[in-house]
Amino acid sequence: MENFIVSARKYRPASFDTVIGQHSITSTLRNAILNKQLAQAYLFCGPRGVGKTTCARIFAKTINCMNLQPNAEPCNECESCKAFNSGRSLNIHELDAASNNSVDDIRGLVDQVRILPQVGKYSVYIIDEVHMLSASAFNAFLKTLEEPPAHAIFILATTEKHKILPTILSRCQIYDFNRIKVPDTIEHLKRIAAKEGVQAEEEALNVIAQKADGAMRDALSIFDQVVSFCGKDLTYDKVIENLNVLDYDYYFKLTDLFHDGKVAETFLLFNEIMEKGFDAGNLVSGLGRHFRDLLVAKEEVTVQLLEVSASIKERYLKQAKTVTSEFIFDALKVIEQCEMQYKMRVEKRLCVELTLIKLCQINELKKKALA
Ligand SMILES: Nc1ncnc2c1ncn2[C@@H]1O[C@H](COP(=O)(O)OP(=O)(O)OP(=O)(O)O)[C@@H](O)[C@H]1O
Ligand SMILES: [Zn+2]
């Protein structure tokens, strides 16, 4: 049987132009390479799974490529590139500071830095999760960072920039990576689905992208998970079932019921949702997101912020026309109160039910206040 390689590894970009959603970073790095203006230390910051390590590896490969392309991309064919692509290159050293954070670990690295690379021009040292280094390890490293030998380049990566000492920050060129936008994630998943022979509904991929919340690695792992559950036919229904995501339809229906003040029907629908095994707390945060999206859908200038598929967007635009902004604000207030109390409450279900009643009362109370 063929070994299964997880998609996040299988589809790790091998060149700058296949990195999604980090265009300003990849083009700056390429320009630096073209203009031969390499810094000796870089700091890549940003959320997890957005391409920091990937870009660090591409950068290391590119500056060692023996046949650099005119657009500052690696050739991916020379000996050096091949060694990089198969993980055999001696010009790249990766240290995961999360699990190797002692002074000894750093000393080992510092000793290595002095050695000239046997092949290629540069030795690149990638230190992942650099904020995890102990204070003494940081200090041991600082000297090397101050006066690195000409052949050494450091790429430090972190998800927590605020934990990096100013002495380190001031010695690095800093790049802030973005979370990846939902539509970009969907496009990427589409291409991968096609390569894997998976038929996927756009709505299904949208659910995956939403769940990944800007991290491409998460998007790819969730994709693998749902493919192993649903097979090669990814429908919206199967994906929401597998990921335990509540169908948008429920949020739209509940909002209509709140607006019409229909308490009994709201309770029945809530009961149906609970019987599906859905978490009441998640329903409340889902409602919060829904009303936020409705608010966004109300204004022409903000509509583009909606990260949903075209058909769902239509529904948002339609529902947004049926409610006032004031109704949305009031609903958001009620939901926020519930979220604050929810964790502390023992009777969680009751807490949510009372919230649903309050949501159903918004319009009635308004009418009374006006009368
Ligand atoms: N911008 C991106 N474009 C395409 N694929 C990406 C991107 N970011 C991440 N990936 C996918 O996710 C995997 C993991 O990404 P990577 O290790 O570069 O993330 P990271 O930002 O370094 O995360 P961490 O901080 O958790 O180490 C890659 O192998 C790749 O498949
Ligand atoms: Zn090459």
Side-chain angles (χ1 to χ4, degrees):
M1 201 176 111
E2 226 181 299
N3 273 344
F4 177 73
I5 305 174
V6 297
S7 294
R9 267 189 65 199
K10 188 165 171 190
Y11 296 105
R12 189 187 274 280
S15 56
F16 288 121
D17 68 347
T18 49
V19 174
I20 315 283
Q22 311 295 358
H23 185 72
S24 64
I25 291 176
T26 52
S27 63
T28 311
L29 291 175
R30 281 205 298 221
N31 279 332
I33 295 170
L34 280 182
N35 299 326
K36 301 198 167 47
Q37 288 175 330
L38 302 186
Q40 282 207 282
Y42 295 87
L43 180 65
F44 288 0
C45 319
R48 48 197 193 88
V50 296
K52 300 183 297 298
T53 311
T54 302
C55 285
R57 289 188 188 169
I58 297 172
F59 185 76
K61 175 168 69 177
T62 310
I63 60 179
N64 279 300
C65 173
M66 303 191 285
N67 189 14
L68 185 69
Q69 303 297 290
N71 55 357
E73 289 282 12
C75 74
N76 279 315
E77 277 165 12
C78 70
E79 276 312 309
S80 172
C81 284
K82 279 190 196 152
F84 267 97
N85 286 343
S86 62
R88 293 181 285 110
S89 176
L90 300 173
N91 297 74
I92 186 165
H93 309 267
E94 293 191 42
L95 182 87
D96 180 7
S99 45
N100 309 282
N101 58 4
S102 71
V103 187
D104 284 345
D105 292 319
I106 272 294
R107 289 225 174 97
L109 183 134
V110 165
D111 288 343
Q112 227 178 14
V113 170
R114 294 199 208 103
I115 306 168
L116 272 171
Q118 297 198 327
V119 284
K121 257 186 169 162
Y122 298 100
S123 285
V124 179
Y125 294 84
I126 300 176
I127 306 184
D128 241 326
E129 302 300 339
V130 67
H131 62 273
M132 303 279 278
L133 285 183
S134 65
S136 45
F138 251 135
N139 284 332
F141 179 54
L142 206 56
K143 291 199 197 80
T144 309
L145 200 60
E146 266 165 1
E147 291 167 4
H151 63 266
I153 291 187
F154 292 95
I155 304 180
L156 316 180
T158 183
T159 46
E160 307 198 35
K161 187 177 168 187
H162 59 278
K163 289 192 183 159
I164 306 291
L165 297 175
T167 41
I168 301 253
L169 288 177
S170 65
R171 285 175 178 81
C172 294
Q173 236 179 56
I174 300 173
Y175 289 83
D176 290 298
F177 283 66
N178 301 316
R179 60 187 278 280
I180 295 158
K181 298 204 175 81
V182 170
D184 292 345
T185 306
I186 295 178
E187 285 311 307
H188 192 52
L189 289 174
K190 265 190 206 163
R191 280 188 294 270
I192 289 174
K195 284 186 192 149
E196 294 287 313
V198 169
Q199 300 278 340
E201 290 178 3
E202 170 119 11
E203 308 269 274
L205 298 181
N206 182 53
V207 174
I208 298 174
Q210 299 270 358
K211 187 114 179 164
D213 195 25
M216 191 62 91
R217 186 197 297 108
D218 293 6
L220 296 182
S221 334
I222 299 169
F223 177 81
D224 288 349
Q225 177 196 323
V226 295
V227 168
S228 73
F229 173 80
C230 310
K232 302 249 168 192
D233 190 15
L234 289 192
T235 61
Y236 172 76
D237 289 339
K238 283 198 242 167
V239 170
I240 59 170
E241 185 192 342
N242 181 239
L243 296 179
N244 196 17
V245 169
L246 195 61
D247 190 346
Y248 280 105
D249 201 43
Y250 284 102
Y251 295 114
F252 285 111
K253 275 191 192 148
L254 281 170
T255 303
D256 285 339
L257 294 175
F258 300 154
H259 196 254
D260 296 341
K262 293 187 170 152
V263 179
E265 284 176 50
T266 300
F267 267 48
L268 288 176
L269 196 56
F270 175 58
N271 192 53
E272 188 183 318
I273 295 168
M274 290 298 98
E275 280 185 354
K276 289 166 84 73
F278 198 72
D279 179 73
N282 285 343
L283 174 68
V284 177
S285 21
L287 279 172
R289 268 195 306 278
H290 181 75
F291 279 101
R292 176 265 183 198
D293 284 350
L294 272 182
L295 196 61
V296 162
K298 268 203 100 59
E299 302 291 335
E300 203 119 326
V301 283
T302 48
V303 155
Q304 35 138 354
L305 298 178
L306 273 186
E307 291 192 319
V308 296
S309 65
S311 64
I312 301 287
K313 195 180 226 168
E314 273 308 303
R315 286 192 76 176
Y316 271 107
L317 291 172
K318 214 169 135 203
Q319 188 162 62
K321 288 205 182 87
T322 68
V323 294
T324 62
S325 301
E326 214 183 348
F327 176 79
I328 299 176
F329 288 136
D330 287 346
L332 282 169
K333 255 184 254 161
V334 173
I335 291 164
E336 196 190 345
Q337 271 170 10
C338 177
E339 284 192 309
M340 285 193 303
Q341 294 168 0
Y342 188 78
K343 278 195 205 91
M344 278 142 16
R345 292 285 284 260
V346 182
E347 295 271 4
K348 305 236 182 264
R349 181 162 179 157
L350 183 64
C351 176
V352 175
E353 283 174 345
L354 294 178
T355 301
L356 297 177
I357 295 176
K358 281 190 207 153
L359 288 165
C360 286
Q361 285 174 333
I362 292 176
N363 275 340
E364 203 185 323
L365 291 177
K366 209 60 350 121
K367 265 188 233 144
K368 274 196 190 138
L370 289 176

